[in-house]
Amino acid sequence: MDAATLAQMLSAQSLLAGCAAEELADIAARGTVRSFKPGTSIILQGDPGDTLWIVLKGLARVSMVAANGREIVLDYAERGAVLGEIAFLDGGERTATVEAIEPVEALGLTRAAFGEIVGKHQGLAMRLLQAMARRLRQNNTVIEADRAYTSGPRLARFLLRLMMGGEDETRLKIALSQGELGNFAGMSREQINRQLSAWADGGIVALKSGRVTVLDREALVDIAEAW
């Protein structure tokens, strides 16, 4: 793993996207690559957060168990995603569980190694703070959507978050069942079923064996922007 390869894997939204080449070189040199089989936990909610993970390959599911025992799906982490940064930075317990859905390769960086890198590169800490602030702003937008949007626009926004880019922009990154989609969007199975059935009748999505395929992305965008 070298700096150029690591830079190519980081998306524009990654916590480390703003790192300079020499910073990425130190991260790559001090990190350890580990493989995780599907169904294996990369991070467990409640565990100590002494390692930061960068997804190099595969797809992982990020979820948490609320105080009432309900599981909440927070996100699906792709290549370039940075995992475990909250507990890693504040020294507390992990706030979520990350489980590999596909075979995952991830670069792990210990807190001690990260501290040495930050000490060497003085501007890195500020850029990470800025990246964390952008992520907080994005999370606030998601919370706003949960509270302000009705079920149709809310579900459309979550489906758009799950869609592939480029030539595969009509496909979802992962084939979710309606129940799993409900956990992600914070909606009941009945709401999901009713809304998807209506969209299927309108040719916006297709439903097969409980799985969702988006047929009309532009229509979904229009719905997502409606109040």
Side-chain angles (χ1 to χ4, degrees), residues 151-160 162-163 172 175-183 185 187-216 220 223:
S151 60
R154 184 194 308 177
L155 179 57
R157 287 164 66 96
F158 277 91
L159 280 175
L160 289 169
L162 288 171
M163 291 184 70
L172 300 184
L176 295 179
S177 68
Q178 294 183 28
E180 292 169 330
L181 185 56
N183 286 339
M187 298 168 60
S188 69
R189 186 180 180 87
E190 291 74 19
Q191 287 177 307
I192 293 286
N193 188 30
R194 183 167 56 249
Q195 188 64 72
L196 289 178
S197 296
W199 288 348
D201 291 341
I204 298 174
V205 303
L207 304 176
K208 184 177 181 180
S209 301
R211 306 288 176 171
V212 182
T213 301
V214 177
L215 301 178
D216 191 339
L220 204 63
I223 295 170

